[in-house]
Amino acid sequence: MIPKSIGNLGNVGELDLDANSFSGIIPRSIGNMSSVTKITLSRNKLEGAIPSTIGACKRLLLLSLDGNNLRGSIPKELFQLSSLSVGLDLSQNNLSGVLPQEIEHLKNLGILYLSENHLSGELPGSLSSCISLQVLDLSSNFFHGSMPERLSSLKGLEYVNLSRNNFSGHVPAYLQQIALKYLDVSYNDFEGEVYVKGVFANASAISVIGNHRLCGGIPELHLPNCTNISNYYQKSKKLSLGVILAISVPSSVVASLALVSFLLLYFCKKKTSESESVVTESFDKISYERLFKATQGFSLENLIGTGSFGSVYRGVVDEDEHGIGPTVAIKVINLQRRGSSKSFVAECEALRNIRHRNLVKVITICSSLDFHGNDFKALIYDFMPNGSLESWLHPHDHQLDLSQRISIAKDVAYALDYLHYHCGNTVVHCDLKPSNILLDADMVAHVGDFGLAKILSLEQLSNPHKTSSSSIMRGTIGYAPPEYGVGNEVCTSGDMYSYGILMLEMLAGKKPVDPIFEQGLNLHSYARKALADGFVLQIVDPMLLNDDVIVNQACLISLVKIGVQCSSESPQNRLHIGTVIHELHALANA
């Protein structure tokens, strides 16, 4: 337990007890720490209520209590801490009650995470007073009602997640006027037309699935036409009594026959053509001939990369007489490679229902025959003009400054947060590395290559350390977590290990298989020792020392610490992706 005597530390500036096994309650004496600016008690086993005495910590900039078993309502005193500016994270607890009107006092708050609790009620209009808010995550609660019109004043919002609540009414029109980078309103009860301006114009930046009464929007959302859906509901109300009786009387017999027929049909189709059933359900196909023409016969001049199960080509589809047409990236699957067909199916399955601004967008697929009658399979993606992160790190042909690297780290963290917790299923990427992170024209990072991805079942989520019967090693040497090497099932913590190694590689400028790492030394232990000995500046990429070293030193140390904690050998000791996101936001805004 955290001792009551902790309140005697009146001069402590930061209290970080993150990722331990503390249990019991948070002592009320914590309010006596009058000089504290940062309290992180995340990912412990704390329970009971949040003590209202925290409201006495008048210098507090950041409070993280996520990933515990805290219960009860959020004390109003907490929302009267006008000093809170970096972030407030109360996610992944068992908090209940409403969001109090006193939230209006948090005018300087940049990040608010309240996801995965039992909060309810309507959103207070006073939330509009939080004019500095950039990240708002209220997902997986029981909020209801419509979105207050007053929230239109939150012009600084960039990331909004309202998914898995009971919000209703129309999606607010003012959201298209705010410069949002990501909006998730999935699995609510919104109705009416989806807009086509602002964030709504980018299918990869929004999610509206699970709202069955929405219509319109851009074509990529595949929502029904608003006129058609209106007619449908009118017709459904006129369903006659005779039709209802005709359906219901023989229902027991028909249902039994239908169930047997469905099961037979499902398993037969699954055995004979699993890949085709996955593909044809979600994507419009493109012909081999069009791809052959787009890549000038899959010429070496258009080859932009090779991977475990295929090669990637740059192509211009359906170019006109002036050579103008949409540029795409075409991943041609090497069907001679063992496991490539399974990889193709895995990638289709993983990408069929996910959409996020930091994931590479699949446009369509090709499952056909080539000119010689051989099987041909390819995935067609948005083309990323700035190539992969690896090409910017090794060799040093390009230059990424510290702010760009932090931005890329945030983009990848957003993608993992979405895959692990917000896309309907839990998707583990299993192969996170610089070559699978692509940069668009604005240097926004997109995670790609889902050939090794796995969608976890509820059983796998409840037994993350179960030993797998499969002998297949998922991931790439140096980036794959050590537990995969001894046969453990894949888990979200495995992606966090890869993320930590990726972070350290961006900071040190060295690959995890660099020749200097031998005799038990690896990138993680190399950075951990430098952190412990106070020599972080000696291991970072010299490119990062060109600016003001004194200003950057604290930031670099914090970034290395994140990388080391994420790549811990023990899965239980790795950081949660939510913690990483608000740490990075704090550094970016410092």
Side-chain angles (χ1 to χ4, degrees):
M1 298 179 66
I2 300 174
K4 294 180 181 179
S5 56
I6 199 167
N8 297 332
L9 304 178
N11 295 321
V12 165
E14 295 187 5
L15 176 64
D16 188 349
L17 304 180
D18 185 42
N20 284 287
S21 297
F22 288 109
S23 59
I25 65 170
I26 301 173
R28 292 181 57 81
S29 62
I30 201 169
N32 296 333
M33 302 181 69
S34 56
S35 298
V36 72
T37 60
K38 171 184 175 182
I39 298 177
T40 55
L41 308 179
S42 307
R43 296 182 302 125
N44 282 286
K45 300 175 183 178
L46 298 171
E47 53 192 27
I50 299 174
S52 59
T53 54
I54 291 184
C57 301
K58 299 300 184 182
R59 297 183 182 181
L60 198 60
L61 303 176
L62 170 67
L63 176 63
S64 296
L65 305 178
D66 55 292
N68 284 288
N69 298 310
L70 299 173
R71 297 180 179 276
S73 59
I74 305 173
K76 295 179 180 179
E77 291 82 358
L78 194 58
F79 291 113
Q80 293 174 339
L81 276 175
S82 58
S83 59
L84 276 176
S85 57
V86 175
L88 173 61
D89 191 349
L90 306 180
S91 61
Q92 295 180 305
N93 280 289
N94 296 302
L95 299 171
S96 56
V98 300
L99 200 57
Q101 292 286 340
E102 283 77 6
I103 197 171
E104 64 186 357
H105 297 293
L106 304 184
K107 292 181 172 59
N108 300 314
L109 187 66
I111 302 170
L112 178 61
Y113 284 113
L114 298 176
S115 61
E116 298 182 61
N117 279 290
H118 304 295
L119 299 171
S120 57
E122 297 188 9
L123 287 188
S126 58
L127 183 60
S128 62
S129 297
C130 303
I131 55 175
S132 299
L133 208 58
Q134 294 178 290
V135 177
L136 175 64
D137 190 345
L138 306 177
S139 61
S140 299
N141 278 288
F142 298 98
F143 290 113
H144 66 267
S146 58
M147 299 294 295
E149 192 66 30
R150 288 168 59 187
L151 298 190
S152 60
S153 63
L154 301 180
K155 302 298 185 182
L157 280 174
E158 296 182 358
Y159 178 101
V160 175
N161 192 342
L162 306 175
S163 64
R164 299 184 183 277
N165 280 283
N166 298 313
F167 288 116
S168 58
H170 292 275
V171 177
Y174 58 74
L175 291 176
Q176 61 184 329
Q177 307 298 330
I178 298 174
L180 288 171
K181 296 179 180 178
Y182 180 73
L183 172 66
D184 189 347
V185 297
S186 58
Y187 298 102
N188 281 284
D189 194 27
F190 286 112
E191 61 180 283
E193 185 174 6
V194 174
Y195 306 101
V196 295
K197 295 181 180 179
V199 69
F200 298 99
N202 184 356
S204 64
I206 61 171
S207 179
V208 297
I209 60 174
N211 294 276
H212 303 298
R213 294 191 289 170
L214 287 179
C215 60
I218 58 177
E220 291 90 338
L221 297 180
H222 304 293
L223 294 174
N225 182 278
C226 289
T227 304
N228 292 342
I229 199 169
S230 176
N231 293 337
Y232 170 78
Y233 282 114
Q234 288 179 4
K235 290 179 181 179
S236 65
K237 291 178 181 178
K238 298 178 181 179
L239 192 64
S240 68
L241 178 61
V243 172
I244 295 173
L245 289 173
I247 294 173
S248 60
V249 170
S251 61
S252 61
V253 177
V254 174
S256 299
L257 292 174
L259 179 60
V260 173
S261 300
F262 171 77
L263 291 174
L264 288 172
L265 178 63
Y266 175 79
F267 286 111
C268 287
K269 285 190 71 176
K270 188 176 178 74
K271 287 181 180 179
T272 56
S273 184
E274 183 181 12
S275 63
E276 291 302 313
S277 67
V278 169
V279 167
T280 57
E281 188 175 348
S282 299
F283 301 106
D284 295 326
K285 293 183 180 179
I286 189 172
S287 70
Y288 171 81
E289 183 179 2
R290 287 171 68 191
L291 294 183
F292 186 87
K293 181 179 178 182
T295 58
Q296 297 175 323
F298 301 103
S299 65
L300 289 176
E301 288 78 6
N302 285 312
L303 180 67
I304 56 178
T306 56
S308 301
F309 296 108
S311 302
V312 182
Y313 295 85
R314 178 183 181 275
V316 181
V317 180
D318 299 332
E319 63 181 9
D320 57 22
E321 64 273 13
H322 303 293
I324 299 174
T327 302
V328 296
I330 303 164
K331 180 181 178 180
V332 178
I333 307 300
N334 178 9
L335 296 176
Q336 305 304 314
R337 178 79 181 266
R338 182 182 178 184
S340 59
S341 294
K342 187 176 182 180
S343 171
F344 177 74
V345 172
E347 192 149 11
C348 289
E349 184 66 32
L351 292 169
R352 64 193 298 183
N353 288 321
I354 60 178
R355 184 181 294 115
H356 191 275
R357 70 181 293 269
N358 296 121
L359 298 179
V360 174
K361 180 184 176 183
V362 62
I363 300 171
T364 183
I365 62 102
C366 178
S367 183
S368 182
L369 300 176
D370 64 17
F371 294 148
H372 302 288
N374 300 315
D375 283 339
F376 178 87
K377 296 186 186 298
L379 295 118
I380 294 83
Y381 299 96
D382 273 347
F383 179 72
M384 297 289 157
N386 276 314
S388 72
L389 175 60
E390 183 175 41
S391 68
W392 286 78
L393 295 175
H394 317 290
H396 298 285
D397 293 337
H398 307 288
Q399 294 185 357
L400 290 174
D401 60 29
L402 183 57
S403 63
Q404 287 176 312
R405 298 188 200 208
I406 294 176
S407 179
I408 291 170
K410 285 198 298 181
D411 289 339
V412 177
Y414 284 145
L416 287 183
D417 182 53
Y418 173 76
L419 291 172
H420 292 175
Y421 302 107
H422 303 297
C423 66
N425 294 304
T426 296
V427 179
V428 183
H429 186 275
C430 294
D431 200 19
L432 197 66
K433 57 184 179 180
S435 61
N436 287 339
I437 296 168
L438 305 177
L439 304 171
D440 65 18
D442 298 318
M443 294 299 288
V444 174
H446 303 254
V447 176
D449 196 342
F450 284 76
L452 294 180
K454 187 169 184 179
I455 302 174
L456 299 189
S457 65
L458 290 175
E459 179 184 359
Q460 289 165 321
L461 286 170
S462 61
N463 297 284
H465 308 303
K466 176 183 174 183
T467 300
S468 172
S469 58
S470 172
S471 61
I472 298 175
M473 170 65 179
R474 287 182 181 264
T476 301
I477 293 175
Y479 301 94
E483 63 268 20
Y484 289 4
V486 294
N488 281 11
E489 286 279 4
V490 301
C491 187
T492 54
S493 61
D495 276 354
M496 292 310 300
Y497 179 89
S498 303
Y499 180 84
I501 296 298
L502 171 71
M503 175 80 82
L504 295 178
E505 183 173 354
M506 282 200 293
L507 295 169
K510 289 180 172 57
K511 296 183 179 182
V513 291
D514 191 284
I516 72 166
F517 301 130
E518 55 184 14
Q519 297 180 346
L521 183 67
N522 56 39
L523 184 54
H524 167 81
S525 58
Y526 176 69
R528 185 184 62 200
K529 188 176 188 304
L531 198 62
D533 295 343
F535 297 125
V536 167
L537 294 184
Q538 295 183 17
I539 69 161
V540 299
D541 186 343
M543 190 83 64
L544 301 177
L545 303 178
N546 292 339
D547 300 323
D548 192 332
V549 176
I550 297 177
V551 173
N552 288 344
Q553 182 173 0
C555 181
L556 288 169
I557 291 172
S558 297
L559 290 170
V560 171
K561 182 180 179 181
I562 292 172
V564 168
Q565 289 180 303
C566 286
S567 58
S568 173
E569 185 171 335
S570 172
Q572 294 87 345
N573 293 335
R574 294 169 195 161
L575 289 180
H576 184 275
I577 192 62
T579 303
V580 171
I581 289 173
H582 80 57
E583 291 282 353
L584 291 176
H585 267 282
L587 290 173
N589 296 329

